[in-house]
Amino acid sequence: MAGMEEQRVRGGGPPWGRWHGPAGERGADGRERAGTRWPWPSTVLVTAVVLAGTRFSARGQSHREALDAYAYALLAVAAGLLLWRTRRPAFVVYATAAVTLAYLAAGYPYGPVFLTVAVSCFSAVVAGRRRAAWTSVGLLWAGHALIALWLYRLLPPPGDSASGWGQQLVVATWVVAVVAVSELARVRHEQWARERAERAQAARRRADEERLRIARELHDVLAHSISVINVQAGVGLALLDTDPEQARTALTTIKAASKEALGEVRQVLGTLRTPGDAPRAPAPGLDRLPELADQAAHAGLTVEIEGTPPPLPPGTALAAFRIVQEALTNVVRHSGSRHARVRLAHGGGTLRLRIDDDGPATGAAAGGSGNGLAGMRERAAALGGTIEAGPRPGGGWRVLAELPLTATEEDER
């Protein structure tokens, strides 16, 4: 059992998981893969048990043929065939049954001679060769019954008598027990394989969700700051010669925006380097809306804020802040309006955010229709909320978000 547990740890699963794979297959490091290793230790152990056990059992069976070189050769061949049970399970189970039947037909003593058939049957069933396993043990039982009930007169030892049906029933019970245990091991192996596949799929899904979350966070941080930097860089270049003081102000704004962007990017990357640790800086929330309005003002956009944000869970507060940030960024990038309104309302367990601008659109898609809008929808959907974005009846663009005021523990992760 200790050896089986060691194989489970090293190979990532049950020891029979190593019984698959073509012969001679090697990995990139030149080492033979786990699924192609020859089962030397178990084969040697079974061979020793069969030889020693049969020799010991023969002492009480003086009416059977004495063990000779031919008998030991048959026992050794049957046990030695188990060395190929991981690569040729169907052939091995048929061959061990045939060699064992030849041993019994020669009249040699009973003993652990059926152990090789049991091991090969187990390997064949687990490897998916169930028909071969059932057929081989069935033929072995039928052959043994034929020898013991009818052919005993023609085969050694001389003067042998017929065995009763009770003995054949015992042999049949043994055959059924071996196959039943093998089938149970196969079912357990398939169940383990399914569980492993489900765990791997869940891990991939969590990794994909985490990548999307990080990409969304970096997009929201960088898109807003770079939009401000782009606008102020254009102002600085335009006024560099005519109004140096105003150009200096633009450069100061660029410096402040880039510093803030770097800080937020470091915070996001810091959570990657130290998974599980609490962030060193609090996540932004709606209490930073005035700061967001000041940044937009440096980009030439006047933001009017209406309403007071209610207390929010950290995850909801961050999502609401990023939605407003992305909506204002889209106004700066895609709208000709220099005025935007952010309205906050809450009631009935729902936070409502509405961001309006008067337009007109200056880019290919007013309000944004790429990763930014997709990111807003993903944030809202993760919390059980909704996002609507589209043209306003009177012109311009509107983003309307509804987020629940409470969030589950899973949503907050």
Side-chain angles (χ1 to χ4, degrees):
M1 292 299 292
M4 292 176 64
E5 289 300 322
E6 183 179 1
Q7 286 183 345
R8 188 188 305 272
V9 173
R10 291 181 180 178
W16 53 75
R18 299 174 177 269
W19 293 357
H20 303 281
E25 190 177 359
R26 294 180 178 270
D29 57 357
R31 297 182 178 179
E32 195 172 22
R33 292 184 180 176
T36 65
R37 294 176 183 174
W38 294 88
W40 282 102
S42 58
T43 302
V44 172
L45 177 61
V46 171
T47 303
V49 170
V50 169
L51 293 177
T54 304
R55 183 180 179 86
F56 179 80
S57 301
R59 297 177 180 178
Q61 303 180 51
S62 57
H63 61 287
R64 305 291 293 179
E65 289 290 315
L67 293 174
D68 54 16
Y70 181 65
Y72 285 117
L74 288 176
L75 294 175
V77 169
L81 285 169
L82 297 179
L83 193 61
W84 283 268
R85 69 182 186 271
T86 62
R87 303 168 183 247
R88 300 290 183 268
F91 167 77
V92 170
V93 73
Y94 280 120
T96 54
V99 174
T100 302
L101 189 60
Y103 174 89
L104 297 175
Y108 291 118
Y110 288 96
V113 293
F114 296 107
L115 180 60
T116 55
V117 180
V119 174
S120 61
C121 176
F122 182 89
S123 302
V125 170
V126 172
R129 309 305 296 268
R130 302 170 61 197
R131 180 177 299 179
W134 279 89
T135 303
S136 62
V137 296
L139 291 175
L140 176 61
W141 176 81
H144 179 268
L146 184 64
I147 293 171
L149 296 176
W150 291 288
L151 298 180
Y152 63 92
R153 300 183 184 92
L154 305 176
L155 298 172
D160 194 13
S161 60
S163 65
W165 282 102
Q167 182 181 0
Q168 300 308 313
L169 181 61
V170 171
V171 175
T173 303
W174 175 88
V175 169
V176 172
V178 169
V179 177
V181 171
S182 302
E183 290 289 346
L184 181 62
R186 178 189 62 83
V187 171
R188 180 65 187 92
H189 175 253
E190 292 178 352
Q191 179 182 0
W192 177 86
R194 286 194 300 269
E195 292 173 355
R196 182 179 64 173
E198 291 172 358
R199 288 194 299 268
Q201 184 178 5
R204 287 193 297 269
R205 183 170 59 251
R206 288 192 298 269
D208 290 341
E209 292 173 353
E210 185 65 11
R211 282 195 296 269
L212 287 175
R213 185 191 69 80
I214 295 168
R216 189 167 56 235
E217 196 72 16
L218 290 176
H219 173 274
D220 292 347
V221 170
L222 296 177
H224 176 75
S225 300
I226 291 177
S227 296
V228 174
I229 291 172
N230 180 62
V231 171
Q232 291 300 316
V235 172
L237 288 174
L239 301 177
L240 185 61
D241 297 327
T242 58
D243 193 346
E245 189 61 29
Q246 188 64 29
R248 181 186 298 274
T249 303
L251 292 176
T252 302
T253 302
I254 291 174
K255 180 179 180 181
S258 61
K259 181 179 180 181
E260 180 180 359
L262 286 174
E264 294 200 42
V265 168
R266 288 194 186 101
Q267 180 180 348
V268 174
L269 297 180
T271 60
L272 297 180
R273 295 191 181 97
T274 57
D277 293 350
R280 298 181 180 179
L286 293 181
D287 56 331
R288 289 182 54 182
L289 284 184
E291 179 182 342
L292 196 60
D294 291 340
Q295 294 175 357
H298 290 304
L301 178 66
T302 302
V303 179
E304 178 184 347
I305 301 175
E306 301 177 5
T308 303
L312 297 172
T316 305
L318 175 61
F321 176 83
R322 294 302 187 200
I323 289 172
V324 175
Q325 184 184 50
E326 179 61 27
L328 295 180
T329 300
N330 287 335
V331 174
V332 173
R333 297 173 59 188
H334 302 290
S335 175
S337 174
R338 297 297 88 192
H339 184 267
R341 292 174 298 280
V342 177
R343 185 175 184 275
L344 309 176
H346 59 91
T350 302
L351 170 67
R352 296 175 181 83
L353 302 172
R354 193 178 73 188
I355 302 94
D356 295 322
D357 70 88
D358 299 328
T362 59
S369 59
N371 293 330
L373 184 55
M376 287 193 289
R377 285 174 175 152
E378 289 170 359
R379 287 185 184 277
L383 297 171
T386 59
I387 285 281
E388 295 180 6
R392 296 173 57 216
W397 191 266
R398 170 173 291 172
V399 174
L400 180 61
E402 293 188 357
L403 304 176
L405 291 177
T406 58
T408 64
E409 180 179 353
E410 181 176 356
D411 296 331
E412 289 297 306
R413 290 176 182 174

